[in-house]
Amino acid sequence: MRTGEKNIFTFYLPTKVVHGAGSSRETGKEFKALGATKALIVTDKGVRSAGLVEGVLGSLQESNIPYAMFDEVEEDPGGTTVSKGATLALQEKCDGIVVVGGGSPMCAGRGIGIVVTNGGKIRDYAGLNMASKPPLPLIAIPTTAGSGAEVSQFIVLKDEELHTKMVVGSPLYFPKVAILDPLLLRGLPFRQFVASGVDALGHAIEAYLTTLCTPITDAWALQAVGMIYHNLRPAAMSDDLDAKEACLIGSTLANMACGNARLGLVHTMTTPLEGMFKMAHGIAVGTLLPYVMEFNLPAAQERFADLAETMGEPAEGRSLAEQAPAAITAIKRLYIDLGFPRKYADAEFDRKAIPQVARLVMGGLYAARDLAKEYPMHAPVPSPNIRKATMADVVRLFEKAFEGWEL
Ligand SMILES: [Fe+2]
């Protein structure tokens, strides 16, 4: 057992999970059970026009629950969208929220719930444990198998003032109910399925490679790695509903793990890229993942061997030194099969900005960022990543991620 720098841990997971094909028809019943009487539906226009909200609305109607519709969440939402949604919720006297969508509506909807009960703007609550009152009760219904925001205490939104990302986190922010209905994933385009699935795989792998991981988070993380790794190809490439369901449950499990074990260097390093370059989260995270795994390998050979075995790499007849890197080979093989990028492209991330991005990374994943602060190259990155990294490592890893890899 690895205890890292701490020896007292908490595992906390208060969200009720309802899952199975057709489970979104339970929304009305679950909403009533929360004691709420009128729902604010939070979604985006794409999800709505794909018809994914219809079943949820039908379920609310069957339970005689009125609702107001807020379908104005854009890609990468920030405080403006959250304030708009909160104003509508207050005008319409909604006392509960139902989010249908991917990471963007999920984080916007959860932010709306905080602003409605606590007042002000979502930026007032940037950082950890800043709101004093619980948000409106919320049911989260994901339409991608990726973010895991349906079981997370963390909300990631665009910081419109600093042009970066802000993390808003507290145990108060866990959704009350997550409904995992694989039928809602049927129309998800291939590229989106892959990008969100690789992000979820990143959550599971990173959760297995932090100084805060425990036997409890390890169990969730390994199960998630196995479910996502073995099902992402058929789930993204075909109509295989069982594979899609496995990816959906896997992405939820992954977040249950990383919500407690936290995330490593990949997410710490990529968060500024999304703010500065509007890079899609799954692409930013997934592209960097193999490079950070290579960096972490010397610090956690046994753990890499566990990951390799979970991804179907036979341990028999192999030494630890042979088995451990097989985890990285397995990831690279998956990327090749899925046509996932092997490196960052200059068009999406200006490599001249690496020093500036590295400075933002040094602010940490959860902290408010002082954009002007300078750091020496040997300064440690504030991250529970299993191998301690410095500012120099961050710069080197970004440079490597422009070179690409071969198998
Ligand atoms: Fe992520």
Side-chain angles (χ1 to χ4, degrees):
M1 173 178 162
R2 181 184 177 87
T3 54
E5 293 152 1
K6 282 181 64 177
N7 53 20
I8 297 175
F9 301 87
T10 304
F11 185 85
Y12 185 53
L13 186 62
T15 305
K16 175 180 181 179
V17 179
V18 180
H19 61 95
S23 54
S24 55
R25 289 199 300 266
E26 301 291 305
T27 309
K29 230 191 297 172
E30 293 296 335
F31 194 82
K32 231 176 199 170
L34 292 174
T37 57
K38 183 171 181 182
L40 181 75
I41 310 291
V42 180
T43 186
D44 63 45
K45 296 230 160 33
V47 167
R48 199 174 172 196
S49 65
L52 300 180
V53 188
E54 296 310 312
V56 170
L57 298 184
S59 168
L60 291 170
Q61 278 156 358
E62 269 170 37
S63 296
N64 296 316
I65 294 162
Y67 59 84
M69 174 65 68
F70 182 66
D71 65 359
E72 290 172 44
V73 181
E74 74 280 35
E75 185 78 40
D76 191 22
T80 306
T81 301
V82 170
S83 293
K84 249 195 219 174
T87 303
L88 181 65
L90 288 165
Q91 272 169 2
E92 294 283 338
K93 298 191 170 43
C94 298
D95 54 4
I97 296 177
V98 176
V99 182
V100 187
S104 293
M106 206 71 88
C107 285
R110 295 171 60 220
I112 290 167
I114 296 170
V115 171
V116 167
T117 55
N118 286 271
K121 294 190 168 81
I122 193 63
R123 198 164 189 277
D124 303 337
Y125 309 103
L128 299 182
N129 304 316
M130 299 297 284
S132 56
K133 294 180 195 150
L136 289 183
L138 184 142
I139 297 180
I141 308 175
T143 57
T144 62
S147 79
E150 67 279 1
V151 288
S152 174
Q153 61 175 303
F154 299 107
I155 300 167
V156 185
L157 290 159
K158 179 168 63 185
D159 187 324
E160 290 160 340
E161 286 180 39
L162 295 182
H163 304 288
T164 179
K165 288 275 179 175
M166 64 176 152
V167 177
V168 185
S170 158
L172 293 175
Y173 308 157
F174 280 102
K176 291 282 181 212
V177 183
I179 298 182
L180 311 179
D181 186 346
L183 296 180
L184 302 183
L185 264 53
R186 280 181 303 184
L188 195 62
F190 171 77
R191 282 193 189 287
Q192 246 176 295
F193 209 113
V194 169
S196 49
V198 167
D199 177 35
L201 193 55
H203 296 158
I205 290 173
E206 289 227 276
Y208 200 64
L209 298 170
T210 76
T211 55
L212 302 175
C213 59
T214 70
I216 302 176
T217 61
D218 287 348
W220 299 102
L222 278 185
Q223 177 73 6
V225 168
M227 288 181 83
I228 300 166
Y229 185 81
H230 294 295
N231 289 284
L232 188 53
R233 291 175 181 89
M237 291 174 179
S238 75
D239 295 328
D240 186 335
L241 194 62
D242 291 339
K244 289 182 200 294
E245 183 166 20
C247 285
L248 182 56
I249 293 177
S251 68
T252 302
L253 289 173
N255 224 281
M256 291 169 165
C258 74
N260 287 277
R262 298 291 194 264
L263 289 161
L265 208 48
V266 177
H267 276 76
T268 307
M269 285 177 62
T270 52
T271 301
L273 297 181
E274 296 160 47
M276 284 175 74
F277 301 111
K278 312 276 169 269
M279 202 188 292
H281 179 75
I283 301 295
V285 163
T287 308
L288 194 62
L289 180 65
Y291 299 95
V292 171
M293 286 177 82
E294 275 161 6
F295 173 78
N296 283 336
L297 179 64
Q301 284 213 331
E302 282 94 354
R303 288 192 163 258
F304 271 78
D306 298 341
L307 290 170
E309 197 170 353
T310 303
M311 290 189 273
E313 296 292 322
E316 226 182 307
R318 277 178 170 175
S319 67
L320 182 62
E322 289 165 338
Q323 176 67 354
I328 305 170
T329 312
I331 293 289
K332 290 178 175 175
R333 236 184 268 128
L334 177 72
Y335 283 15
I336 290 170
D337 291 349
L338 296 171
F340 194 82
R342 297 181 189 206
K343 57 180 178 177
Y344 287 135
D346 285 296
E348 61 188 4
F349 171 8
D350 178 3
R351 82 174 85 182
K352 290 199 287 300
I354 289 176
Q356 196 188 344
V357 177
R359 270 204 305 279
L360 287 177
V361 171
M362 298 306 287
L365 183 56
Y366 306 108
R369 291 179 175 76
D370 178 355
L371 304 189
K373 192 169 172 186
E374 295 287 343
Y375 298 86
M377 290 304 264
H378 63 269
V381 180
S383 165
N385 191 66
I386 204 156
R387 181 176 170 192
K388 285 289 156 222
T390 63
M391 169 107 161
D393 293 322
V394 169
V395 170
R396 215 171 8 249
L397 280 164
F398 274 135
E399 285 170 349
K400 269 193 171 174
F402 276 97
E403 288 164 18
W405 49 258
E406 295 297 330
L407 246 194

